[in-house]
């Protein structure tokens, strides 16, 4: 996409970031609140809109985010990419504010704006001076129900998302591998299709498709507004009533988000993607595991700690065993995506050293996992991982926008503000036995897809 940030980028492309943050989506407001030491305020308007306010008065700026509880997994079958397509089209204007006006105003007041789409949510945000917050709230309230679309703007934007797919997926071997692995891991659930969409379906998306999707899902009773910054909570509540509160709820919004679920795991799957552009071969494995929302109490927390012990940083099991001790890899790690409405992924990846085969690298990683399953983790590993996870959460709270994203992603994937705030105590409560049990129960090969990324040899030159 041209100017907006994308969560539709295949997640495996962003593995290093995920590994560094470790508790990517359920590391939230640690300790007594957040960086500014204040309380988080959670309101519900009469029309169903949820408003979360996070005061942070260190600078006269505010981050305003609106999250819709709809993503790629909620699309009509056969119309993949529709949620992301509508995200683009939301910038095309209303009767009150023609195309481009919103962005022009944000730029003129020195603000920033962006948008993103994932499997479970779609979000729009602005960062502006505190005294201009009402302006962006009025704009967002207007386009929540007032979007106007014509073929003259829809069809060219369809070409834009097709080109985005070319750039982000077709021209990126790792992205293509991740896309294929997701399709193989999810046999029945819509998480198996790419957020950006399959090309042959994207090419058929129409104005009517976009408007039907918009009218079904974009409404105050399907939205969460998160505001973080130099604000007074009650004043923000009043602003929300003046802007979003005037909108009527949409009774067509599904009360429960029901999706097809996965059948019991029966067999491991393996696939290979060969591409001449591959510079470094790699092997990665995705396991189907519970998310915070879909799992039983404590399962997601144990998986968070397990991912950190196995594969976060130079002290992790995989890095020390494969990169330092055996010297069979140049990189190795693990990650876990805890924030999802339904069953999610736990991943392991290895890039072998020259001369080491992918099969050898995979076997070395399997040996590390088998050792954790058989012997568990040490008290030192456990405490170091839990301390680091909580510390990373505390440090990350210095970023106002990050705070808003944490709450937004949690509230749109089945968690509550209380769940967010209890995260540190849940991590502290994780035991070595729980980590070992998580490895034993969920890191089973029949629950996984293993992907090999290899360099495709150039075809021999034809002789004349």
């Amino acid at each position: 996409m041209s100017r907006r940030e994308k969560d539709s980028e295949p997640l495996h492309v962003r593995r290093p970031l995920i590994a560094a943050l470790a508790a990517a989506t359920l590391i939230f407001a640690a300790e007594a609140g957040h960086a500014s030491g204040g309380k988080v305020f959670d309101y519900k308007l009469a029309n169903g809109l949820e408003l979360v306010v996070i005061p942070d008065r260190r600078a006269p700026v505010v981050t305003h985010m609106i999250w819709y509880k709809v993503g790629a997994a909620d699309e009509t079958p056969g119309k993949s990419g529709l949620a992301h397509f509508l995200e683009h089209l939301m910038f095309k204007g209303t009767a009150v504010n023609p195309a481009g006006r919103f962005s022009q105003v944000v730029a003129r007041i020195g603000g920033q704006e962006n948008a993103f789409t994932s499997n479970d949510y779609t979000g729009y945000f602005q960062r502006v001076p505190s005294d201009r917050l009402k302006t962006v709230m009025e704009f967002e309230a207007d386009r929540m129900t007032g979007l106007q679309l014509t073929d003259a703007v829809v069809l060219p934007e369809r070409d834009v998302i097709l080109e985005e797919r070319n750039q982000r997926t077709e021209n990126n071997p790792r992205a293509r591998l991740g896309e294929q692995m997701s399709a193989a891991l999810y046999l029945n659930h819509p998480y198996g299709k790419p957020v950006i969409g399959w090309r042959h379906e994207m090419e058929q998306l129409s104005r009517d498709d976009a408007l039907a999707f918009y009218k079904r899902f974009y409404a105050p009773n399907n939205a969460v507004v998160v505001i973080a910054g130099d604000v007074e909570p009650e004043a923000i509540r009043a602003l929300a009533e003046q802007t979003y509160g005037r909108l009527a709820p949409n009774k067509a919004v599904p009360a429960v988000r029901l999706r097809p679920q996965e059948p019991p795991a029966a067999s491991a799957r393996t696939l290979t993607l060969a591409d001449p552009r591959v510079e470094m071969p790699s092997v990665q494995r995705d396991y189907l595991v519970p998310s915070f929302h879909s799992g039983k109490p404590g399962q997601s927390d144990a998986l968070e700690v397990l991912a950190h012990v196995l594969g976060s940083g130079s002290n992790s099991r995989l890095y020390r065993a494969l990169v330092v001790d055996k010297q069979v890899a140049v990189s190795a790690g693990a990650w876990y995506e805890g924030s999802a409405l339904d069953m999610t992924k736990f991943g392991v990846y290895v890039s072998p050293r020259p001369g080491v085969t992918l099969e050898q690298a995979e076997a070395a990683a399997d040996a590390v996992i088998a050792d954790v399953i058989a012997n568990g983790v040490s008290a030192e590993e456990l405490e170091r991982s839990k301390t680091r996870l909580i510390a990373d959460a505390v440090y990350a709270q210095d970023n106002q926008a990050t705070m808003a994203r944490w709450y937004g992603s949690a509230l749109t994937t089945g968690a509550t503000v209380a769940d967010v705030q209890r995260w540190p105590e849940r991590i502290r409560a994780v035991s070595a036995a729980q980590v070992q049990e998580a490895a034993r129960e969920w890191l089973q090969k029949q629950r996984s897809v293993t992907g090999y990324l290899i360099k495709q040899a150039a075809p021999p030159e034809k002789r004349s």
Side-chain angles (χ1 to χ4, degrees):
M1 182 167 193
S2 57
R3 62 186 176 83
R4 292 185 289 283
E5 162 189 343
K6 290 312 307 130
D7 273 4
S8 59
E9 181 177 6
L11 280 168
H12 73 280
V13 177
R14 297 182 282 127
R15 295 292 189 243
L17 175 60
I18 291 173
L21 293 178
T25 47
L26 280 179
I27 302 180
F28 297 110
E31 308 304 338
H34 50 87
S36 61
K39 181 181 177 183
V40 175
F41 296 80
D42 187 16
Y43 306 106
K44 197 70 169 282
L45 303 192
N47 61 7
L49 182 136
E50 184 169 7
L51 172 67
V52 176
V53 183
I54 310 167
D56 179 1
R57 299 182 179 87
R58 292 172 296 173
V61 295
V62 62
T63 296
H64 170 271
M65 285 187 159
I66 182 163
W67 300 70
Y68 292 96
K69 297 178 183 179
V70 59
D74 303 296
E75 293 163 345
T76 305
K79 298 186 183 296
S80 62
L82 186 53
H84 170 237
F85 187 32
L86 179 58
E87 179 226 304
H88 278 240
L89 295 174
M90 284 290 286
F91 290 81
K92 298 306 178 182
T94 68
V96 176
N97 296 296
R101 185 180 176 194
F102 190 174
S103 296
Q104 290 167 2
V105 170
V106 171
R108 189 165 60 245
I109 63 179
Q112 301 169 322
E113 64 169 344
N114 223 313
F116 47 86
T117 304
S118 80
N119 276 312
D120 294 312
Y121 50 75
T122 308
Y124 306 84
F125 70 89
Q126 302 83 32
R127 183 174 170 85
V128 296
S130 303
D131 60 355
R132 304 309 297 267
L133 176 60
K134 183 179 180 181
T135 299
V136 297
M137 293 174 73
E138 289 173 337
F139 273 114
E140 285 290 12
D142 176 41
R143 70 176 175 180
M144 181 183 285
T145 58
L147 182 65
Q148 294 189 338
L149 297 176
T150 65
D151 283 344
V153 298
V154 169
L155 300 183
E157 201 63 34
R158 188 174 65 189
D159 292 336
V160 171
I161 63 169
L162 287 167
E163 179 56 29
E164 182 180 342
R165 179 177 170 85
N166 283 340
Q167 294 177 357
R168 292 184 174 272
T169 305
E170 308 294 356
N171 293 326
N172 186 327
R174 290 186 179 275
R176 291 176 59 211
L177 177 66
E179 189 175 84
Q180 294 298 308
M181 289 181 66
S182 290
L185 182 67
Y186 291 100
L187 301 177
N188 195 46
H189 193 282
Y191 285 169
K193 58 185 174 63
V195 171
I196 199 167
W198 297 115
R199 171 173 284 277
H200 68 287
E201 293 182 349
M202 295 166 66
E203 291 172 340
Q204 303 303 316
L205 294 177
S206 68
R207 170 185 174 273
D208 289 345
D209 293 332
L211 282 176
F213 194 75
Y214 171 72
K215 291 176 181 178
R216 182 182 180 194
F217 291 109
Y218 278 56
N221 52 316
N222 203 37
V224 178
V225 171
V226 184
I227 297 175
D230 184 21
V231 295
E232 292 293 337
E234 285 302 321
I236 297 306
R237 183 179 187 176
L239 276 180
E241 293 283 6
Q242 295 169 24
T243 53
Y244 296 112
R246 295 179 300 176
L247 303 174
N250 181 359
K251 295 181 181 180
V253 172
V256 180
R257 301 167 76 181
L258 298 176
R259 290 113 169 231
Q261 298 299 304
E262 286 299 293
S267 65
R269 282 139 276 167
T270 302
L271 58 88
T272 301
L273 190 142
D275 192 298
R277 295 167 295 187
V278 172
E279 297 180 358
M280 180 179 291
S282 64
V283 57
Q284 61 187 65
R285 182 179 298 148
D286 291 351
Y287 295 89
L288 189 66
V289 301
S291 65
F292 173 78
H293 180 256
S294 65
K296 297 177 182 178
Q299 286 182 329
S300 177
D301 309 317
L303 287 165
E304 292 274 16
V305 178
L306 174 62
H308 199 278
V309 170
L310 268 180
S312 181
S314 58
N315 284 323
S316 67
R317 285 281 189 102
L318 285 167
Y319 191 92
R320 284 189 288 111
L322 276 61
V323 178
V324 178
D325 297 340
K326 297 181 180 179
Q327 298 187 5
V328 297
V330 295
S331 67
W335 49 270
Y336 168 63
E337 296 169 13
S339 183
L341 203 63
D342 297 313
M343 294 292 282
T344 188
K345 300 176 186 176
F346 186 109
V348 174
Y349 61 91
V350 183
S351 294
R353 288 183 179 275
V356 178
T357 68
L358 293 179
E359 291 80 4
Q360 290 171 327
E362 180 185 2
D366 282 341
V368 174
I369 295 171
D371 182 60
V372 172
I373 292 173
N375 303 307
V377 300
S378 70
E380 180 184 357
E381 287 177 310
L382 181 69
E383 291 308 310
R384 181 172 64 237
S385 292
K386 292 196 294 186
T387 299
R388 181 59 186 271
L389 283 170
I390 295 171
D392 284 350
V394 174
Y395 299 148
Q397 290 169 56
D398 280 338
N399 188 309
Q400 183 185 101
T402 297
M403 289 291 292
R405 287 189 70 110
W406 284 348
Y407 278 92
S409 62
L411 295 172
T412 50
T413 55
T416 66
V417 168
D419 291 329
V420 169
Q421 294 177 323
R422 284 196 296 263
W423 184 86
E425 67 184 68
R426 296 202 313 271
I427 291 298
R428 287 193 189 96
V430 172
S431 67
Q434 287 176 304
V435 174
Q436 184 178 12
E437 178 57 28
R440 180 184 297 116
E441 183 173 2
W442 300 112
L443 302 192
Q444 303 172 14
K445 274 198 174 181
Q446 69 265 28
R447 304 190 58 83
S448 74
V449 172
T450 302
Y452 286 1
L453 184 63
I454 64 174
K455 187 174 184 65
Q456 184 179 52
E461 295 183 6
K462 294 183 179 180
R463 294 182 179 180
S464 56

